[in-house]
Amino acid sequence: MASSLTKDSASSGEKTFFGHPRGLATLFMTEMWERFSYYGMRALLPLYLIAPGGLDMKPATATAIYSVYLSLVYLLAMPGGWFGDRVWGPRKTVAIAGGVIMLGHLTLALPSEGTFFAGLGLVAIGSGLLKSNISTMVGHLYDGPEDPRRDGGFTIFYMGINMGAFAAPLVIGTIGENVNWHLGFALAAVGIGLGVVQFLVGTKHLDEKSLIVPKPLSKDERASTLRKSMIWLGIAAVFYIGTVVTGVYTLNWLLVPITIAGLVIPVMVLTRIKRDKELSEAEQSKMSGYIWFFVAAAIFWMIYDQGGSTLAIFAESSAENSVFGWDFPVSWYQSVNPVLIMALAPVFAAFWLALNRRGKEPSTIVKFSSGLVLVGASFFVFLMPLTIAGDGHKAAAMWLVAIYFIQTVAELTLSPVGLSVTTKMAPAKYASQMMGVWFLAVTAGDCTTGLLSLAGVELNGTGVVAAEATLAVVAGIAIFMYRGKVKKLMGEVR
């Protein structure tokens, strides 16, 4: 961004980034390149898994792997935040995370099935480490929650995410599909490499708080954590070596435990918080209300994240991927959502503000239920191209664009509200952990998709698509109908 650094006339001549602390430029570019690598690889992933020149897997297996991979990224965001808080501090954690992600993409670039899955694991671990900590450092740049620039800073940062996500399928997807799959994965490594360089060069502009470990482990805690980790790692190693030696190992031995863990862990975390005797009656009530939002969000992400798997696999086999006679790579569909986010996010922000001024802004519950109904509606629209393909014809690309458009509107209605209500309803004791709990809703949704795929359910079938669409619409209507009860549980939160 050539003209991004400007002079702030209100300051003492110090360079700023659109009027914000200069460190925001460092974090903006780091996140943009990291998302470029992440979304580029993600756009290629299901296509590579089913391609005859790739791993030549069945669509159901590819969807399961894709869903488990996504769930791992969000599941590992919680321990990633823990490392930043207790072990390395945010700045060091992000630097290490970038290196792990780059190593993961380079491993994906190797033409071997074994190294491919090792690479996926490394990218998931690195993304989990980076995800929570880089956002924490954005917050460090401002003078507390009351700093009037804070919301704007996070908005600019969010734009960096979508810029990277928009460009990635166009560049990495094109190279991966049209030239060489592994060259595409290598290009993703170049992307995160640029992000790491940007971060290390610009780290001097970050706040000193990002170097601090907020709550470092004591010597005893460190020893105990290391001991327990080694025990669990040893158990896993013995188990999987045993399955390989005895000849019973299949990919399901890895996918099924992760999928089940992705469903069980969110339940365990919510149960632990809900049963905490130290919470006040008001906090207990809010957590009961939050569970409604959590379950609904899991349903939302179950459908929404199939945009990169179920829809992409359908497009590969059954869509006419061309505009005015010009063919384009299937991975380009993954650029539709981020470009729509960049175009529509300011419109939505202005729309909610205009309604608020008139006292007519919908409540959190109404926005949330609307998002669920819309994402359900997107899958009802999906039934049309499925029917067209079922008659032996290729479905027009605009059907898929329409689905992505509806899902983007649904995302803008639900996702920001979900983030906001998570922070507002968090018990004081768990204030720093609740964002990780919100990410667990994504984990639960993706693991549900993964479990269905592993069970042999054909997610591109009209019956399954209709059932998922109906589930989302019914869940949205249920939240709306019981809004009085939920509002009572939420207490003063609106």
Side-chain angles (χ1 to χ4, degrees):
M1 307 212 31
S3 61
S4 60
L5 293 177
T6 59
K7 293 283 186 179
D8 184 358
S9 59
S11 70
S12 57
E14 180 185 357
K15 287 184 177 180
T16 65
F17 183 68
F18 293 118
H20 291 266
R22 194 174 179 182
L24 184 61
T26 296
L27 299 176
F28 175 95
M29 295 298 291
T30 301
E31 181 72 353
M32 184 189 76
W33 283 116
E34 188 274 330
R35 292 290 90 181
F36 175 85
S37 71
Y38 173 78
Y39 281 100
M41 185 278 286
R42 205 175 93 161
L44 286 182
L45 180 56
L47 304 177
Y48 172 73
L49 292 174
I50 64 172
L55 295 187
D56 199 17
M57 292 181 172
K58 294 180 179 178
T61 305
T63 300
I65 292 170
Y66 179 89
S67 301
V68 168
Y69 167 71
L70 290 192
S71 69
L72 265 181
V73 170
Y74 288 96
L75 182 63
L76 293 172
M78 285 193 77
W82 180 86
F83 266 91
D85 287 342
R86 307 294 311 272
V87 184
W88 292 326
R91 193 184 300 189
K92 185 177 180 180
T93 303
V94 167
I96 292 172
V100 173
I101 294 170
M102 184 164 62
L103 178 61
H105 286 301
L106 290 173
T107 306
L108 287 171
L110 300 174
S112 165
E113 183 173 336
T115 55
F116 181 81
F117 289 107
L120 278 184
L122 288 169
V123 175
I125 291 169
S127 298
L129 285 169
L130 186 141
K131 196 168 186 64
S132 300
N133 290 286
I134 197 165
S135 297
T136 298
M137 286 194 290
V138 174
H140 287 163
L141 297 173
Y142 300 95
D143 298 325
E146 304 307 317
D147 191 322
R149 302 172 300 168
R150 186 182 179 94
D151 286 351
F154 273 98
T155 300
I156 293 172
F157 180 72
Y158 190 62
M159 292 299 285
I161 293 173
N162 285 286
M163 286 176 63
F166 167 68
L170 304 181
V171 179
I172 295 175
T174 302
I175 297 298
E177 286 191 68
N178 294 342
V179 181
N180 181 275
W181 294 108
H182 296 286
L183 184 58
F185 294 129
L187 193 57
V190 173
I192 185 60
L194 290 171
V196 172
V197 170
Q198 166 71 28
F199 183 76
L200 295 176
V201 170
T203 191
K204 60 188 176 183
H205 300 300
L206 301 177
D207 192 277
E208 293 299 312
K209 288 196 291 288
S210 65
L211 285 169
I212 298 171
V213 181
K215 191 180 177 183
L217 292 171
S218 66
K219 186 177 180 180
D220 289 342
E221 286 177 321
R222 188 180 292 269
S224 175
T225 301
L226 182 61
R227 183 175 64 255
K228 291 176 182 177
S229 299
M230 293 307 295
I231 289 172
W232 282 108
L233 185 62
I235 292 172
V238 169
F239 175 79
Y240 283 105
I241 289 172
T243 60
V244 171
V245 169
T246 57
V248 299
Y249 178 81
T250 65
L251 192 57
N252 282 355
W253 282 98
L254 184 63
L255 296 179
V256 172
I258 295 175
T259 304
I260 293 174
L263 293 171
V264 171
I265 290 174
V267 175
M268 290 175 61
V269 171
L270 285 171
T271 301
R272 178 173 60 86
I273 295 174
K274 186 72 179 66
R275 290 182 175 178
D276 192 331
K277 302 297 184 183
E278 295 182 14
L279 300 188
S280 67
E281 186 176 339
E283 289 176 325
Q284 287 279 2
S285 177
K286 288 177 185 176
M287 282 306 301
S288 296
Y290 184 74
I291 289 172
W292 282 73
F293 293 107
F294 184 92
V295 173
I299 295 172
F300 176 88
W301 295 115
M302 177 187 70
I303 294 176
Y304 179 90
D305 276 347
Q306 288 184 62
S309 55
T310 304
L311 286 176
I313 291 172
F314 172 82
E316 172 66 22
S317 62
S318 305
E320 191 70 51
N321 303 309
S322 63
V323 176
F324 302 119
W326 175 69
D327 295 335
F328 58 87
V330 174
S331 54
W332 282 25
Y333 284 112
Q334 302 311 307
S335 288
V336 174
N337 171 259
V339 76
L340 287 174
I341 288 285
M342 289 189 285
L344 295 177
V347 176
F348 268 73
F351 180 61
W352 297 138
L353 187 60
L355 289 179
N356 181 268
R357 287 170 179 164
R358 299 176 185 176
K360 295 182 178 180
E361 182 180 4
S363 68
T364 294
I365 300 170
V366 172
K367 290 179 183 177
F368 217 87
S369 61
S370 299
L372 273 171
V373 170
L374 283 169
V375 83
S378 75
F379 259 35
F380 278 125
V381 173
F382 188 22
L383 292 174
M384 295 301 296
L386 282 173
T387 302
I388 293 170
D391 292 336
H393 304 289
K394 293 278 187 177
M398 291 311 295
W399 280 114
L400 294 174
V401 173
I403 295 168
Y404 287 119
F405 174 80
I406 297 170
Q407 291 187 347
T408 300
V409 174
E411 179 188 2
L412 288 169
T413 305
L414 181 142
S415 186
V417 174
L419 291 168
S420 177
V421 81
T422 297
T423 58
K424 290 177 181 178
M425 296 176 71
K429 181 179 178 180
Y430 297 99
S432 61
Q433 298 179 41
M434 283 299 288
M435 198 54 67
V437 173
W438 169 252
F439 290 145
L440 287 179
V442 186
T443 297
D446 287 330
C447 281
T448 301
T449 301
L451 199 61
L452 290 172
S453 298
L454 290 170
V457 175
E458 179 55 63
L459 293 176
N460 265 334
T462 53
V464 176
V465 170
E468 290 183 80
T470 302
L471 175 64
V473 171
V474 169
I477 293 173
I479 287 181
F480 181 78
M481 289 181 63
Y482 287 91
R483 63 190 181 280
K485 179 179 179 179
V486 178
K487 188 180 293 185
K488 184 178 180 180
L489 291 170
M490 292 171 68
E492 78 283 358
V493 175
R494 291 293 176 265

